[in-house]
Amino acid sequence: MRASFQLKTIVATLGLLGAAVTSQAYAQNIKFAMVIPTTGHLTQYGDMVKEGVSTAVEQINAAGGINGKKIEVTTVDDACEPKQGPVAANRVVNSKIGYMIGPVCSGAAIAAAPIYDNEGVVVVTPSATSPALTEGKNFHYIFRTIGRDDQQGPSAAKFIIEKAKPAKVAVLHDKQSYGQGIASSVRDQLQKAKVNVALFEGINAGDSDYSAIITKLKSAGVDFVYYGGYHPEMGLLLRQASEQGLKVRMMGPEGVGNPEVNAIAGNAVEGMLVTLPADFSTNPKNAAIVKAFQDKKRNPSGAFQLTAYAATQAIAESIKAVGDDPKKVADHLHKATINTVIGPVSWNKQGDLNAFDFQIFQWHKDGSKTPATK
C-alpha cells in the first residue's frame, strides 16, 4: 500500500511538472488568429489565405520565431458572411489573441472591424478590397496588404477604355459591399471617359439561372460585360451566356479569379479577363519562398497567397521591432515601411496601402492565366 502510494505521488508530481512545462512553453508562443471562410461557397479564398499564412508561419518559426517565440495560429470561420463577422471577431477577442490575418471578404470585414478596433486587435486583411472597410472610419488597428476597389476599378476601366475599346458596356454586380463597390468604381471611370454604359444592374448572388439578365444584355446590344462579385455567379454568367448565344467579352475583379470558375463555366471561361494582384511569385527575389510553397504542394501564384504571406510578415516584423504589444504594433505599422514578399509596403493614416499593383490577366480553360494585352 505504501509503495503504491509513493508511486502515485511521484506520477502526480511528474504530471504537475509536465503541465507546468507545457503551460510555460505555451506562454512563450505568440498567438495569431486567421479568420477565413472554412464553410460556405467561398472556401477556396480561405484556402488561398491559409496557404499563405501557413507558409509564412512555418518559415518564421523555422528561423527562430519572433524574438525567440514561436507563432501559434488559431483558425476561426466566418463563412465570408457579414452576419458571421462579429461572431468570429468576438471569438478572437475572447481567446485573448492580439493579432489577426483576415477577414477574407469585405462584407464580413466591414461588419467585424469596429469590434477588432475597439478591442485593440491588430488586423491585416490580405483580400478585403472595399473602401468602406477603412474610409472615414478613423480605425487605428485595421490594415490591408491589398489595394482597394478604387485602385482596382480604375485599372480595369483603363484596360477597357484603352485596350478592349468596346462600343457598349454592361456593368453588373452582386448587390454586396465588395461587388457593388468595385462595379460602381468601374462604371464611374467608364462614364468619365464617355464610354457608353448601357446597363448597370445587380443580380442575386446564389441564384442558378441568369437567363433574365442575359436576355437584357442581348436586348441592350452590349459587346462587353464587367461583373463585380465572386466566381460562382461569374461562372454561371459565362456558361449561360454562351449557351444562349451571347458573344461578349466578360471581365471581373480578383473575386472571380478562382480555379473553381472553370468547373462552373466550362469552355466558356476561355478569355475571361480578370484584375488580380501582380504575380509576385515570378519575382526572382521570392524564389526560396516559392519553393517553400511548392514543397508543401501549395500554389504561390493565386490571388491571395502572397498577400497573406505579406500580412503575416508585416505583423511579425512589427512585433520584432516593438515587442508583443498590439497597441505598439499598430503604431509601428502606421509609420513603418516593411519589406515583404509583395515588396516594400507602407500604410496611410486609414491603414490602406500607399501603393498596390493590380494587373489584368486573361483566364484560360486549363486554369492558367496570362497577362492580357488587348
Side-chain angles (χ1 to χ4, degrees):
M1 290 287 292
R2 186 173 182 183
S4 175
F5 176 79
Q6 287 176 331
L7 181 60
K8 287 179 180 178
T9 302
I10 292 168
V11 169
T13 303
L14 288 172
L16 289 171
L17 287 172
V21 169
T22 301
S23 175
Q24 185 178 7
Y26 183 78
Q28 292 303 307
N29 292 338
I30 298 176
K31 294 183 182 181
F32 283 22
M34 177 173 59
V35 176
I36 60 175
T38 62
T39 59
H41 66 289
L42 298 175
T43 56
Q44 295 87 357
Y45 300 111
D47 292 340
M48 293 178 187
V49 171
K50 184 177 181 178
E51 287 188 346
V53 173
S54 298
T55 308
V57 168
E58 288 162 5
Q59 295 284 293
I60 292 166
N61 283 346
I66 304 173
N67 299 333
K69 296 182 179 181
K70 298 295 179 73
I71 302 172
E72 175 190 333
V73 180
T74 297
T75 302
V76 179
D77 177 31
D78 68 1
C80 263
E81 291 284 350
K83 64 184 178 182
Q84 292 298 322
V87 176
N90 284 321
R91 284 187 60 190
V92 173
V93 170
N94 292 337
S95 298
K96 302 191 184 307
I97 299 173
Y99 313 99
M100 196 275 282
I101 297 100
V104 171
C105 295
S106 291
I110 291 166
I115 296 172
Y116 291 117
D117 198 69
N118 289 338
E119 297 295 334
V121 178
V122 175
V123 169
V124 184
T125 174
S127 52
T129 55
S130 174
L133 174 61
T134 51
E135 188 69 38
K137 301 295 174 61
N138 200 32
F139 290 144
H140 186 67
Y141 290 87
I142 311 298
F143 302 85
R144 314 179 205 243
T145 47
I146 195 166
R148 296 177 13 155
D149 291 339
D150 49 8
Q151 293 170 303
Q152 184 175 187
S155 296
K158 185 173 188 290
F159 182 91
I160 295 168
I161 295 161
E162 297 180 1
K163 303 290 186 181
K165 299 179 180 178
K168 196 180 287 188
V169 179
V171 179
L172 307 178
H173 59 82
D174 64 359
K175 302 180 184 178
Q176 299 181 36
S177 299
Y178 163 68
Q180 187 165 355
I182 194 163
S184 298
S185 176
V186 171
R187 175 202 58 190
D188 294 347
Q189 293 294 319
L190 293 177
Q191 290 178 334
K192 197 180 295 183
K194 308 300 184 187
V195 173
N196 184 355
V197 179
L199 194 67
F200 181 78
E201 192 162 326
I203 64 172
N204 295 318
D207 281 359
S208 59
D209 185 359
Y210 294 114
S211 297
I213 192 66
I214 290 168
T215 298
K216 278 192 177 184
L217 295 174
K218 279 182 165 182
S219 299
V222 302
D223 58 341
F224 195 99
V225 175
Y226 182 89
Y227 171 67
Y230 292 103
H231 72 278
E233 292 72 34
M234 182 60 141
L236 287 174
L237 286 169
L238 286 162
R239 191 183 79 207
Q240 292 173 9
S242 175
E243 290 169 350
Q244 295 178 45
L246 177 62
K247 296 180 179 179
V248 295
R249 298 187 80 185
M250 291 196 187
M251 183 182 203
E254 88 288 351
V256 308
N258 186 312
E260 287 295 313
V261 75
N262 293 61
I264 300 168
N267 290 341
V269 79
E270 180 64 40
M272 177 185 75
L273 296 167
V274 56
T275 46
L276 289 169
D279 188 353
F280 304 106
S281 70
T282 62
N283 186 335
K285 293 180 180 178
N286 292 333
I289 292 169
V290 167
K291 185 177 184 303
F293 272 87
Q294 293 170 341
D295 286 348
K296 294 283 186 172
K297 300 191 184 311
R298 297 167 184 160
N299 176 18
S301 64
F304 305 131
Q305 280 91 335
L306 292 188
T307 57
Y309 193 108
T312 312
Q313 282 181 303
I315 295 173
E317 289 300 318
S318 293
I319 296 172
K320 282 181 185 177
V322 299
D324 182 6
D325 181 332
K327 172 65 166 61
K328 290 180 180 178
V329 168
D331 292 343
H332 184 259
L333 286 170
H334 276 292
K335 63 186 179 183
T337 296
I338 297 176
N339 289 318
T340 73
V341 71
I342 65 171
V345 294
S346 63
W347 296 266
N348 62 20
K349 187 177 179 181
Q350 293 187 144
D352 296 320
L353 289 174
N354 287 316
F356 189 80
D357 185 15
F358 283 110
Q359 296 180 0
I360 316 299
F361 292 88
Q362 186 165 279
W363 204 266
H364 302 295
K365 59 186 178 183
D366 65 357
S368 65
K369 64 183 187 293
T370 53
T373 57
K374 61 181 180 178

